[in-house]
Amino acid sequence: MEIEQRSDAGMHLLPGAAETMRAVVRHRYGPPSVLEPSEVGLPLPGPGDVLVRVGAASVHPGDYFIMTGEPYLVRLAFGLRRPRHAIPGTDLAGVVAAVGEEVTTLSPGDAVFGWSAAGTLAEYSCVPADNLVSVPANLSIVEAATVPTSAVTALQAMRDVAHVRPGLTVLVTGASGGVGSFAVQIAKAFGAEVTGVCSTRNVDLVRSLGADHVVDYTSTDFARAGRRYDVILDNVEAQPLAAVREALTPTGTLIPNSGHGGRWLGPIGRIIKARLLSGFSSQRLRPFTSFAKRQDLLTLADLLTTGQIAPVVDRTYRLDEAGDALRYVGAGHTRGKVVITV
């Protein structure tokens, strides 16, 4: 496919170029079976956008919630009766195919990674230029696709919410998962003493990420083991908030980054409870929502380049296997990240 890079009239296809692309689409909320491979129209970037030839797109639990439309609260943001965006997916890595007329920071041929509001499970995706940065030379496109949502969440939790620094003790539950695997490495990079909680099969993996201590939850309950931590990032909700707080120092910080709940609120119910409890305790209960920031992608790119953090890729799927990928993510037992190659 050929694409004209710039013109006075903005972006457009050259005569005779392909005007469609392969994508995964859904027209209703539901299980992975609602996802269908399809031929759709090629998106064209606006003045500040970049058209990315997608090489890989990672998926995470948030994508699963958006696909199912449960908890129902997600529909306020993504469409009440049906998905507002037919093509799912937010994280991607690939090569710039074309740029909008106002874009000066990127050029066709650049390898980039970042996120879009939607539409990354496709051959091409339009992304605001400010949502993309260059892929570090020591990363593959597949590895780069794992970074945006999960690593940014881990970075903001450790740096901005918990203020992790040398001398602090940090415990991460779900330490082998997408956010957890990055959080363990980031906390170590910031100089903390890190404990990871995982199942037996993931003990060696979590230790390889740099964890100073690993707790196998199948044989040890960290909340009743007698040790207290300055920071707990709870990615699993295997324990009630009251039990987790028993493992927190009197002035420690608990970040609940998960929750089960019902069909209406889901994880939000636990987050609301944590916020209410925080006002009545010297402990800091700090649920948070991560925000897409280009500067954070640049910070992560530096950590990746210097080898202080490295992605963990669990499985890769083809684009037409997107339903299988999200079914696996929804089961909740991933080791690192799940990536769809395009």
Side-chain angles (χ1 to χ4, degrees), residues 177-215:
V179 173
S181 59
F182 281 116
V184 167
Q185 297 177 81
I186 290 170
K188 279 300 297 180
F190 289 171
E193 179 183 337
V194 181
T195 298
V197 181
C198 61
S199 64
T200 306
R201 75 185 184 103
N202 293 320
V203 166
D204 289 341
L205 168 63
V206 173
R207 188 171 288 117
S208 74
L209 298 175
D212 299 287
H213 315 282
V214 182
V215 175

Side-chain angles (χ1 to χ4, degrees), residues 82 263 320 325:
R82 61 182 59 86
R263 300 178 70 181
D320 59 3

Side-chain angles (χ1 to χ4, degrees), residues 229-262:
Y229 301 89
D230 298 306
V231 177
I232 297 177
L233 174 62
D234 187 5
N235 293 304
V236 179
E237 197 200 0
Q239 304 272 11
L241 282 173
V244 177
R245 290 174 64 189
E246 287 296 317
L248 197 65
T249 61
T251 57
T253 300
L254 168 60
I255 307 172
N257 188 43
S258 66
H260 304 302

Side-chain angles (χ1 to χ4, degrees), residues 42-317:
L42 187 77
L44 296 180
D49 295 335
V50 172
L51 183 66
V52 178
R53 172 65 171 92
V54 181
S58 67
V59 289
H60 50 80
D63 294 313
Y64 184 84
F65 295 147
I66 295 168
M67 177 189 69
T68 61
E70 294 183 11
Y72 295 136
L73 190 64
V74 305
R75 302 190 186 200
L76 294 177
F78 298 99
L80 289 177
R81 302 187 64 174
R82 61 182 59 86
R84 187 172 294 118
H85 301 287
I87 303 174
T90 54
D91 294 3
L92 84 166
V95 176
V96 174
V99 297
E101 56 190 2
E102 295 178 3
V103 176
T104 59
T105 56
L106 295 169
S107 302
D110 289 347
V112 294
F113 71 104
W115 55 76
S116 180
T120 62
L121 298 189
E123 288 186 284
Y124 290 85
S125 183
C126 277
V127 184
D130 287 343
N131 290 5
L132 297 168
V133 300
S134 297
V135 174
N138 60 333
L139 253 62
S140 68
I141 289 294
V142 168
E143 291 171 324
T146 70
V147 174
T149 295
S150 294
V152 166
T153 298
L155 175 66
Q156 292 179 1
M158 294 292 99
R159 183 194 61 195
D160 303 336
V161 181
H163 307 297
V164 171
R165 58 193 181 276
L168 294 188
T169 55
V170 175
L171 180 134
V172 178
T173 71
S176 60
V179 173
S181 59
F182 281 116
V184 167
Q185 297 177 81
I186 290 170
K188 279 300 297 180
F190 289 171
E193 179 183 337
V194 181
T195 298
V197 181
C198 61
S199 64
T200 306
R201 75 185 184 103
N202 293 320
V203 166
D204 289 341
L205 168 63
V206 173
R207 188 171 288 117
S208 74
L209 298 175
D212 299 287
H213 315 282
V214 182
V215 175
D216 180 352
Y217 68 74
T218 66
S219 59
T220 304
D221 182 351
F222 78 87
R224 294 175 174 83
R227 186 174 183 190
R228 291 196 166 197
Y229 301 89
D230 298 306
V231 177
I232 297 177
L233 174 62
D234 187 5
N235 293 304
V236 179
E237 197 200 0
Q239 304 272 11
L241 282 173
V244 177
R245 290 174 64 189
E246 287 296 317
L248 197 65
T249 61
T251 57
T253 300
L254 168 60
I255 307 172
N257 188 43
S258 66
H260 304 302
R263 300 178 70 181
W264 286 94
L265 292 179
I268 303 301
R270 192 173 195 238
I271 289 172
I272 293 172
K273 182 179 180 181
R275 287 196 181 280
L276 292 174
L277 289 173
S278 187
F280 300 93
S281 172
S282 60
Q283 295 174 327
R284 300 173 67 245
L285 278 64
R286 292 290 186 267
F288 81 110
T289 300
S290 62
F291 293 96
K293 297 179 181 178
R294 185 173 186 271
Q295 183 56 50
D296 286 347
L297 284 181
L298 291 171
T299 297
L300 291 165
D302 287 340
L303 292 170
L304 290 158
T305 298
T306 57
Q308 295 180 79
I309 64 173
V312 177
V313 179
D314 183 351
R315 299 183 183 182
T316 60
Y317 293 82

